[in-house]
Amino acid sequence: VAALCDHFRIPVAVVINKADLNAGKADALAAWCFEKGYTVASRIPFSPDVTAAMIARRAVTETPSPLAPILRRIAENILALPSVPAEHHTLSHL
């Protein structure tokens, strides 16, 4: 996907999921992103809250999970990128 974005000159933002399960791999991925000029929007730690939210048919952002503010910050980071059109700058759904 990143190569396709590169081809069309679309900026790439990366979210490293479960980053705390293998810090070495997460750091290597972040270093690769830096080399390529990609933005690391966030590193998300593993949490069973995701499964609990799915079972409850809720978004994690609709729960008291500590992940909720992290996910909101990811959206803010991505929306702050220069290539995101202004009409997409709404977080009301989070």
Side-chain angles (χ1 to χ4, degrees):
V1 172
L4 184 61
C5 288
D6 287 343
H7 175 77
F8 288 106
R9 297 183 183 161
I10 299 169
V12 174
V14 175
V15 175
I16 303 173
N17 193 24
K18 301 179 186 176
D20 56 334
L21 296 183
N22 190 331
K25 290 278 188 187
D27 290 344
L29 180 55
W32 178 80
C33 290
F34 179 78
E35 289 172 14
K36 294 292 218 170
Y38 303 154
T39 299
V40 176
S42 186
R43 295 177 184 221
I44 302 174
F46 170 78
S47 175
D49 294 349
V50 175
T51 302
M54 289 183 348
I55 291 170
R57 296 182 180 196
R58 312 286 284 168
V60 176
T61 53
E62 298 174 313
T63 71
S65 170
L67 289 181
I70 294 171
L71 296 173
R72 286 187 188 96
R73 191 168 45 251
I74 291 168
E76 291 166 357
N77 290 345
I78 291 170
L79 292 174
L81 294 173
S83 65
V84 178
E87 63 270 15
H88 295 289
H89 286 218
T90 177
L91 297 178
S92 62
H93 61 285
L94 294 180

